[in-house]
Amino acid sequence: MKRRDFLRQGLGITSGLMAATQAPFAFAKSDASGFSNSISQRNDFNLPAIEEGQTVRGKQVFKLTLQQGQTRILADTTTETIGINQNFLAPVLRMKKGQTVKMEVTNKLDEIAALHWHGMVLPATEDGGPHQAIEPNTTWIAEWKVLNEPSTLFYHSHTHNQTGQQVWRGLGGQMQIVDEDRDADLGIPHQYGIDDYPVILMDRAFEETGEFYYNNSRMDKMQGMHGDVMLVNGVPNSVLKPKKTLVRLRLHNASNARFYHLEFSDNRPFQLIATDGGLLEKPTKLRQIRLAPAERAEILVDLSDRKPITLKSIKGYGNLSRGMMGGNNASHLDQDFDLLHLDSSQSEQSSAFKRTQLVTFPDWSKVQVAKTRLMKLEMQMGPRMMFGSGGFTINGQAMDMNVINEVTHANTFEIWELQNPSTMHHPFHIHNTQFRVLDRDGKAPYPWEHGFKDTVTVHSKETVRILFPTGPYKNNNTPYMYHCHILEHEDAGMMGQFTVV
Ligand SMILES: [Cu+2]
């Protein structure tokens, strides 16, 4: 049976089941259903190109072009895609703390775009949110001094109401603030493509024609766009053959809506060394980690036993397993997935990693908190939600470009209490800061949440408190955003604006 026939048949069965059990909510369908599990062909690991910019009069100048093209993602078809300096996705931007970077972003798409530097502390005018929209055939210049600690960040589309579809089509990549000397001193792998690898996770759904399936229907809006084809750095079912046996994987959930519960096929332990905002004080030994959309985690994996292993996502976590539609949670999109195979049979033996103090965090236990704010993440169910465009709000208000929802003061600390009375989990992101998670319903955060973060999951019916500095930059007029990082929720209104004055 040819793959397409197999897929069609599989699809028919699945669709029938869905129709019978999930009516009246027709599920988003991908004609590649079953593809990722039925195909045996393995692909080479796709190491993204690096872009480090050109030094011009003391600044690192990055020339970034938003462009469109066609990409062979599935084996025997091409897909219309967009990307940055390439047809699909983007190079890894590498920079150093203390550098002044200048981003020259030229929009060669035939639609408005915006490009946001997720996790960066920078002036609001340089942030790349919806207020910095780039018209087609124009260039937007953003410039700032890198104040962040070395870390793995995310740059991606943040176009008003269009973020979800633009990221889905390819407008996003990884940024790395690096300090190779420091890493060498700490014994942390830091050679790009040798023992230090970006692992950018995303899921996609495809039409039978090979084009991306993206449909911002009410159902997709509610649960966020999910797909059944898992990609690492844009490639399905790939094999990483690392050059060394001790590897640093910069795990990066760049999916629109999917939550990953990650572990290795043999359940081996790994060392978590960094979260969204940079290194932990000490490595944390884990066997599993959860990443919500936009969260990153740097882990060290010891492959010196040369066993082939697979990085997997385990079903049962995330919004698709919550049975939000009245108890039926038999979604075909919530299953175990193989994400990335690791083959260390030819890898050069590394010296063992010695756990050591990595950094010392600033002591925030006695900082004066200027203000505590409540953020209520709400989804109004019912007719307005199901048949209109509204229903996604923070504190009862949907995103309005003309409304500044909160005013904060520069160089202060705030506690935000994130409440989620809704039926879904929401990953909450604040621009221009790296925060600490204080507690979840009064209890300690997860073991992978003890470092600096810019995105945190607020589970259904949960309250999470975070503490953060508002940063040095003041601007009365241009706001930053805070929002749910399920991009369809963000586009549907679960976003607010704050200024720092
Ligand atoms: Cu959400």
Side-chain angles (χ1 to χ4, degrees):
M1 189 167 18
K2 279 167 44 187
R3 198 191 96 221
R4 282 196 182 281
D5 297 334
F6 174 82
L7 292 176
R8 278 206 197 90
Q9 197 167 359
L11 175 66
I13 293 164
T14 314
S15 301
L17 275 175
M18 299 306 292
T21 56
Q22 285 219 329
F25 307 107
F27 207 89
K29 271 318 301 161
S30 156
D31 284 290
S33 193
F35 165 80
S36 59
N37 289 338
S38 65
I39 194 165
S40 59
Q41 181 199 329
R42 292 191 173 185
N43 295 302
D44 290 339
F45 184 78
N46 187 33
L47 183 71
I50 291 185
E51 180 57 67
E52 296 183 307
Q54 299 277 328
T55 310
V56 181
R57 286 188 287 275
K59 294 173 186 168
Q60 286 307 111
V61 179
F62 293 77
K63 292 187 190 301
L64 304 175
T65 301
L66 315 186
Q67 60 188 69
Q68 49 207 355
Q70 292 187 329
T71 307
R72 188 169 290 272
I73 302 169
L74 303 179
D76 53 3
T77 184
T78 57
T79 305
E80 293 286 338
T81 54
I82 57 178
I84 301 163
N85 293 0
Q86 57 194 50
N87 283 350
F88 182 43
L89 303 175
V92 168
L93 307 186
R94 291 191 120 201
M95 57 198 69
K96 292 178 177 151
K97 183 179 177 181
Q99 280 180 337
T100 295
V101 295
K102 183 179 185 187
M103 304 295 185
E104 299 180 358
V105 186
T106 300
N107 182 4
K108 289 288 179 190
L109 305 175
D110 49 20
E111 61 199 282
I112 286 176
L115 197 60
H116 167 57
W117 325 102
H118 177 123
M120 236 4 131
V121 174
L122 74 187
T125 51
E126 318 304 298
D127 187 45
H131 293 275
Q132 289 87 45
I134 315 168
E135 297 284 341
N137 294 310
T138 63
T139 298
W140 172 63
I141 294 176
E143 187 176 314
W144 72 94
K145 186 176 178 185
V146 178
L147 302 179
N148 289 61
E149 293 301 316
S151 50
T152 302
L153 306 183
F154 185 12
Y155 67 120
H156 62 77
S157 162
H158 212 309
T159 313
H160 188 50
N161 288 337
Q162 301 298 325
T163 296
Q165 62 92 0
Q166 287 187 345
V167 170
W168 189 259
R169 287 155 64 209
L171 223 51
Q174 189 172 95
M175 305 174 85
Q176 299 178 357
I177 303 170
V178 297
D179 185 342
E180 295 179 340
D181 294 341
R182 183 205 64 181
D183 290 351
D185 287 345
L186 294 170
I188 297 174
H190 55 274
Q191 292 177 279
Y192 189 85
I194 292 179
D195 54 15
D196 182 349
Y197 296 93
V199 177
I200 304 171
L201 305 170
M202 48 182 69
D203 59 333
R204 292 292 183 269
F206 292 84
E207 306 272 8
E208 193 170 350
T209 57
E211 299 307 332
F212 283 135
Y213 175 87
Y214 189 90
N215 181 6
N216 209 346
S217 68
R218 61 181 188 267
M219 187 64 185
D220 294 327
K221 212 175 275 180
M222 181 152 47
Q223 61 190 16
M225 273 304 297
H226 286 69
D228 51 4
V229 178
M230 301 294 132
L231 306 178
V232 170
N233 303 338
V235 172
N237 203 27
S238 67
V239 185
L240 170 60
K241 298 178 175 174
K243 302 282 193 295
K244 301 278 186 74
T245 58
L246 179 69
V247 292
R248 175 192 204 162
L249 303 181
R250 297 175 189 255
L251 305 176
H252 174 166
N253 184 353
S255 305
N256 282 39
R258 181 177 290 276
F259 293 67
Y260 295 86
H261 178 110
L262 299 169
E263 58 183 54
F264 289 102
S265 49
D266 63 352
N267 200 34
R268 77 178 51 201
F270 53 85
Q271 300 287 342
L272 175 71
I273 59 164
T275 53
D276 301 337
L279 288 180
L280 300 175
E281 290 200 294
K282 284 208 176 92
T284 303
K285 182 180 165 184
L286 298 173
R287 290 176 192 272
Q288 51 188 235
I289 188 169
R290 291 174 173 180
L291 291 184
E295 284 187 302
R296 290 89 62 207
E298 298 179 29
I299 64 170
L300 302 186
V301 191
D302 183 352
L303 303 168
S304 57
D305 63 0
R306 316 273 174 182
K307 266 178 60 182
I309 58 169
T310 300
L311 177 68
K312 298 175 71 78
S313 178
I314 305 299
K315 71 174 178 182
Y317 181 61
N319 283 320
L320 289 175
S321 56
R322 288 193 45 72
M324 48 177 285
M325 305 316 297
N328 170 30
N329 57 7
S331 165
H332 73 299
L333 293 183
D334 181 37
Q335 51 180 276
D336 290 0
F337 287 105
D338 286 356
L339 302 178
L340 176 68
H341 308 287
L342 290 110
D343 173 359
S344 55
S345 59
Q346 306 298 315
S347 308
E348 183 191 325
Q349 184 74 33
S350 308
S351 44
F353 174 66
K354 292 187 188 66
R355 291 184 78 247
T356 176
Q357 176 96 17
L358 300 176
V359 290
T360 304
F361 288 165
D363 181 9
W364 287 0
S365 64
K366 294 184 182 67
V367 296
Q368 203 184 340
V369 176
K371 194 163 172 87
T372 297
R373 292 174 209 261
L374 177 67
M375 296 286 152
K376 245 182 168 172
L377 313 177
E378 292 172 306
M379 296 164 66
Q380 278 120 41
M381 306 298 277
R384 182 159 161 247
M385 164 69 219
M386 298 316 297
F387 301 108
S389 60
F392 290 84
T393 60
I394 298 177
N395 292 340
Q397 290 178 288
M399 164 72 178
D400 182 338
M401 291 277 277
N402 299 312
V403 173
I404 304 294
N405 303 88
E406 307 288 342
V407 178
T408 71
H409 290 275
N411 300 307
T412 64
F413 281 83
E414 298 209 350
I415 288 178
W416 284 16
E417 191 171 310
L418 313 172
Q419 277 187 15
N420 180 0
S422 82
T423 53
M424 290 184 65
H425 312 325
H426 300 288
F428 189 82
H429 170 52
I430 309 180
H431 290 207
N432 186 48
T433 197
Q434 291 289 335
F435 53 75
R436 301 292 305 275
V437 182
L438 296 177
D439 45 46
R440 293 185 167 277
D441 284 338
K443 298 190 219 50
Y446 291 118
W448 52 84
E449 294 178 325
H450 290 291
F452 287 94
K453 302 275 302 154
D454 54 49
T455 307
V456 65
T457 301
V458 190
H459 296 99
S460 176
K461 313 301 178 200
E462 194 176 39
T463 297
V464 176
R465 292 192 317 142
I466 58 176
L467 171 67
F468 65 93
T470 53
Y473 298 112
K474 300 179 187 182
N475 190 315
N476 286 310
N477 304 311
T478 305
Y480 299 100
M481 307 292 136
Y482 53 90
H483 58 91
C484 175
H485 223 286
I486 290 178
L487 300 180
E488 289 69 32
H489 293 182
E490 173 192 330
D491 283 339
M494 195 179 279
M495 176 153 69
Q497 310 199 88
F498 71 104
T499 50
V500 181
V501 300

